[in-house]
């Protein structure tokens, strides 16, 4: 993570902490247009299934965010899920950075919301 901006390192660290603290498969964090961060884990209820990144985006929207600067997800996955990229795009716009890191916090993929 040495080449990342300190603010991007921060959201990866927050996402990693959410994953570990909640014992879920994914942790995520997003940074809105004002620099506020929203952190979430996977939601796996019988009647509601949300990825960690979808949950973090929903938390940002519910808190009044009007845009996103960046998003991070910590997962075993090799690529960000299409639904996650779409959720980030819906709030942040096309081209919003989406960082995917492994459970060890090492960046695997730096993608853009499409």
């Amino acid at each position: 993570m040495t080449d990342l901006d300190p603010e991007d390192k921060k959201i990866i660290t927050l996402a990693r902490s959410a994953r570990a603290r909640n014992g879920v498969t994914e942790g995520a964090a997003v940074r809105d247009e004002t620099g506020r961060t929203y952190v979430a884990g996977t939601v796996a209820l019988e009647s509601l299934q949300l990825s960690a990144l979808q949950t973090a985006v929903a938390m940002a929207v519910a808190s009044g965010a009007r845009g996103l600067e960046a998003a991070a997800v910590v997962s075993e996955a090799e690529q960000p899920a299409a639904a996650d990229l779409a959720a980030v795009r819906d709030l942040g716009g096309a081209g919003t950075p989406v960082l995917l890191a492994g459970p060890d916090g090492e960046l695997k993929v730096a993608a853009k919301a499409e």
Side-chain angles (χ1 to χ4, degrees):
M1 284 198 317
T2 57
D3 294 346
L4 289 175
D5 174 273
E7 292 299 313
D8 290 341
K9 287 181 187 179
K10 176 182 171 183
I11 60 173
I12 289 174
T13 299
L14 290 169
R16 188 173 180 218
S17 296
R19 181 180 184 270
R21 179 179 57 251
N22 296 324
V24 291
T25 57
E26 294 181 338
V30 297
R31 185 175 61 248
D32 75 9
E33 78 284 0
T34 67
R36 290 180 297 180
T37 57
Y38 305 88
V39 181
T42 309
V43 174
L45 300 173
E46 189 173 320
S47 63
L48 179 64
Q49 304 284 317
L50 294 173
S51 72
L53 195 48
Q54 290 170 328
T55 305
V57 169
M59 291 173 64
V61 170
S63 296
R66 297 180 184 259
L68 294 178
E69 290 181 352
V73 61
V74 172
S75 172
E76 296 281 352
E78 294 301 318
Q79 293 291 325
D84 286 348
L85 294 174
V88 171
R89 182 202 62 230
D90 287 349
L91 184 57
T96 303
V98 178
L99 308 170
L100 172 65
D104 60 359
E106 289 300 314
L107 183 64
K108 293 194 230 181
V109 176
K112 301 253 183 212
E114 304 172 350

